[in-house]
Each structure stands twice: as C-alpha cells, then as structure tokens.
Amino acid sequence: MTAARSSLTAGIFAAIRGKRVPLAGRDPAGERGDTVIASYNIHKCVGTDKRFDPGRIADVIGEIGADIIALQEADQRFGERAGLLDLERLHRDSHLVAVPIEAFSPKGHGWHGNVLLLREGAVAKVNQLKLPGVEPRGALVVDLDLKAGPLRIIAAHLGLLRYSRAQQAEAILAAIEGAEHRPTLLIGDLNEWRMGRRSALKFLTPVFDPVATAVPSFPSRFPILALDRVMGSPHSLVTAVEVHNTPLARIASDHLPIKAFIDMKAAIAGGMETLPAEQG
C-alpha cells in the first residue's frame, strides 16, 4: 500500500510539472500507443479572465491533437441551451467531427453539455444516458469502429454531490452490463478528488481503476485536484496520461485538458477482461 501511494504521489507531482505519467506495469516503449484520447471541461468557453471566447477553446483543442476528445459544458446551461462552439471550424482546423446525437435542446451541441469529437472512424452505436442525482446530468455511451479496432467511449460529467456521483457511477456500470465486449474508456469531468474508500468512484472498480490514471487538472492556473479522468477497461488499455498545460490552456478554461495514450492493439491481442457482472 505504501509503495502504491508513493507511486501515485510521484505521478501527481510529475503531472503538475507537465510531464507524461507512465502507468505501472506498462511498457515504457509503448507509451505513445496507437490512439490519443482527451477530455476537456471547456467551462462554457469562459476563461479564468472571465472572458467568453469560443475561439480560444478551439485553439486549445487544436493544440491537444487528439484522435478523440470528450468535451463538457459545451452548451449554455439555461435559456435556449445553445451550443457554444463553432463545430465547422473544429472540423476545418482540427479535422474533428461531433458524434451525431439527439441534442438536449434544438440549438444545442451536446447531451447535458457532453460532446464527443472524433477524427476518423465509424459510429456503430450511441446510447444517451440520463444519470440519476439531484442535478440534471448525462453521459454518452458510444461504440466506435476505428482503424485500430473496436472501442467504446463513455463520455460523462458527474454531479457536484458525492452521493449523486456514487449513483451515477453505478448507473454507468449498469448501462454497459451485458454489452458486447470491446475495449472501453470512461472519460470526462467526474468531479471527484478523493481517492480510496472515500471516493464515490470506488463503485467503478474493478471494471475501471479510478486511481491509476488520476492526474491533477483543476484549477487550471495551479492544478491540484484530479477532477478529470480517463480510465480504461481492461486497465492495460491506457498506457500513459498527461495534463495539457500550456499558457493558452491555463487561461481558456478553469480546467486543464487531460490527454491519454491508449494501445488498442495490445489490449485486443491480450484479450478482454471479463466484467464482474458476467462472471459465474
């Protein structure tokens, strides 16, 4: 336990310094993997300078260079709940296309503010989850067929209350119980900074490992809390994580983007782990 805690602490300090954090048991030579995943809470395009600037967010997304990126808070929260980004610009400049969904509102981009952007590949299936809890929250469960193989993405933004987060974590697992086996990523702003027994994310284990990929991303000017996560099932799917900490990212939103490197070919070659719900 002491060794594991020391490894986690070292990883957090490496992330604060902007370095890539390789994960225990992964081959350092394979850190890059074959696919780059990111998650970014864009804070409704309002930066730490209190200025609304969607173009600045688009520039940060361009900096990240991800193959797949999940965005949170991409719509207005009240009123018409209109989408806040120029999706055509993201397609033109970053070659990213939004996964088609039934938006939460006629003028919106996302589902409860969640948008999933994809560089290439085919969308096989989309499930829009309404998550339990005091606040209205949702998640996208998207099955993708990529060149590297099949991948499932769960893009979520969990609630501010611990009890709600626990309910939402259980609802996410229930939504994929019995689903077709494919490498799966849970990504997004999960709003949980606690580790271990006190964490609402403990309900995700053993399907996901909430601790291994935790790197601080909030607040953006001096990140100390690991609110934004990328977790893989099987656990070996994610080979390394890092915080995208640039001058522009530090001002564009109150969250820094996080970036993960995954090795789908290795995960598929190694065989999928059996989900606990299907054992016995």
Side-chain angles (χ1 to χ4, degrees), residues 100-219:
I101 62 168
E102 292 184 11
F104 192 76
S105 65
K107 294 186 178 181
H109 291 330
W111 173 245
H112 290 279
N114 293 291
V115 172
L116 189 65
L117 301 172
L118 175 68
R119 188 178 300 277
E120 59 182 23
V123 178
K125 184 179 179 181
V126 177
N127 183 14
Q128 299 177 210
L129 299 181
K130 183 178 179 180
L131 297 177
V134 176
E135 311 161 79
R137 297 283 176 168
L140 297 173
V141 182
V142 181
D143 286 2
L144 300 170
D145 293 324
L146 309 177
K147 286 183 179 180
L151 179 67
R152 174 173 297 121
I153 299 283
I154 306 169
H157 188 187
L158 302 190
L160 296 174
L161 301 179
R162 182 181 180 278
Y163 180 71
S164 292
R165 290 194 296 274
Q167 289 182 308
Q168 290 157 5
E170 292 181 305
I172 286 170
L173 290 187
I176 61 173
E177 182 179 347
E180 171 198 5
H181 278 200
R182 55 173 64 206
T184 300
L185 291 169
L186 172 56
I187 61 180
D189 177 2
L190 304 189
N191 261 321
E192 180 60 85
W193 61 93
R194 300 176 183 89
M195 302 291 174
R197 293 181 180 179
R198 297 186 62 209
S199 171
L201 303 183
K202 67 182 181 180
F203 296 100
L204 295 171
T205 56
V207 178
F208 299 100
D209 184 351
V211 174
T213 56
V215 293
S217 58
F218 180 89

Side-chain angles (χ1 to χ4, degrees), residues 36 38 40 54-69 71 85-98 116-121 244 248 259:
V36 180
Y40 190 18
R56 191 164 54 183
I57 293 292
D59 289 338
V60 173
I61 292 172
E63 288 182 348
I64 297 168
D67 299 299
I68 300 169
I69 180 168
L71 305 178
L85 292 169
D86 185 343
L87 297 182
E88 291 184 3
R89 175 182 172 180
L90 289 174
H91 184 205
R92 181 183 67 248
D93 295 348
S94 299
H95 310 291
L96 293 166
V97 177
L116 189 65
L117 301 172
L118 175 68
R119 188 178 300 277
E120 59 182 23
H244 182 77
L248 185 60
K259 193 171 178 178

